[in-house]
Amino acid sequence: DGGITQSPKYLFRKEGQNVTLSCEQNLNHDAMYWYRQDPGQGLRLIYYSQIVNDFQKGDIAEGYSVSREKKESFPLTVTSAQKNPTAFYLCASSIDHQEFNQPQHFGDGTRLSIL
Amino acid sequence: AQSVAQPEDQVNVAEGNPLTVKCTYSVSGNPYLFWYVQYPNRGLQFLLKYITGDNLVKGSYGFEAEFNKSQTSFHLKKPSALVSDSALYFCAVRDIEIGGQNFVFGPGTRLSVLP
């Protein structure tokens, strides 16, 4: 079955620690996205990538970093500079970022909490 | 700039009754509109989209949505609600104007269908 796999499902971060969230897709999609979900605020875009070796900041990129070395993979690192990292993180993909009529496909998320 | 409003945080409806989840939007160009559903601790699932053409769009699980350009609305509807429809619903918009290429999500509406 094609889809998006996020791991781990739950993650705990200590003070001063960087943590990396994994996102893998086997849909052969060019575009990938990271969103942060907080209660009552909908989804906010952190970073997106239209193609391998390219990525763009979203609305709330500060304290986060990404890489896109392979088409299938788009890991997100939550750095110690992100002072309020507790949230539900969602990875998504779409066929092509410029195909405006195409929906995004989502993984099942990673819930990050501070120890 | 694009924006999406979902004026109701919570909608309660009895099983078997019709349901409506409201969405209004603001874009500078022509809107591409989407509805997604989210079950607890899961990612978003695509329900339906409006791109152009018929104002009444049919989607998954018996849901439909009506596009109203004059009222800038895209309300989600279902003729007969099921308890299993209880979930969080998100409206999203894209337009093709420069700078408006990303998805913008509303804050979500929690639907509770009571048996």
Side-chain angles (χ1 to χ4, degrees), chain A residues 31-96:
Chain A
M32 297 187 75
Y33 309 80
W34 274 106
Y35 291 94
R36 172 179 170 140
Q37 184 178 12
D38 295 282
Q41 293 193 42
L43 277 65
R44 292 183 290 169
L45 183 65
I46 305 173
Y47 270 97
Y48 69 98
S49 168
Q50 298 191 52
I51 198 167
V52 174
N53 292 323
D54 176 75
F55 48 83
Q56 308 293 330
K57 291 182 178 180
D59 300 319
I60 56 165
E62 185 173 351
Y64 300 97
S65 66
V66 293
S67 62
R68 186 86 187 275
E69 297 177 1
K70 298 186 300 181
K71 186 174 185 177
E72 304 80 21
S73 179
F74 190 42
L76 173 74
T77 296
V78 184
T79 74
S80 57
Q82 172 51 245
K83 298 306 179 188
N84 183 24
T86 297
F88 191 50
Y89 290 86
L90 288 164
C91 179
S93 71
S94 66
I95 291 173
D96 185 320

Side-chain angles (χ1 to χ4, degrees), chain B:
Chain B
Q2 314 167 94
S3 66
V4 178
Q6 294 181 242
E8 299 157 318
D9 292 336
Q10 173 98 25
V11 170
N12 297 321
V13 64
E15 187 175 28
N17 282 2
L19 70 86
T20 299
V21 183
K22 295 179 180 177
C23 172
T24 58
Y25 65 89
S26 174
V27 297
S28 52
N30 290 320
Y32 288 39
L33 294 154
F34 302 81
W35 275 103
Y36 291 85
V37 60
Q38 184 181 34
Y39 297 98
N41 294 312
R42 301 296 299 276
L44 277 65
Q45 295 177 33
F46 169 68
L47 281 177
L48 51 78
K49 66 181 178 183
Y50 172 83
I51 304 302
T52 187
D54 195 347
N55 289 343
L56 186 64
V57 178
K58 294 190 183 297
S60 306
Y61 312 121
F63 283 95
E64 58 190 25
E66 187 168 12
F67 171 67
N68 187 317
K69 188 172 183 178
S70 62
Q71 296 186 6
T72 62
S73 67
F74 188 54
H75 301 331
L76 182 70
K77 301 181 180 184
K78 187 173 182 181
S80 178
L82 301 172
V83 172
S84 57
D85 292 330
S86 299
L88 190 56
Y89 289 81
F90 289 97
C91 182
V93 67
R94 296 183 86 178
D95 73 40
I96 61 173
E97 295 294 316
I98 293 174
Q101 298 179 1
N102 292 324
F103 279 83
V104 173
F105 288 84
T109 297
R110 188 164 301 281
L111 173 67
S112 292
V113 181
L114 309 172

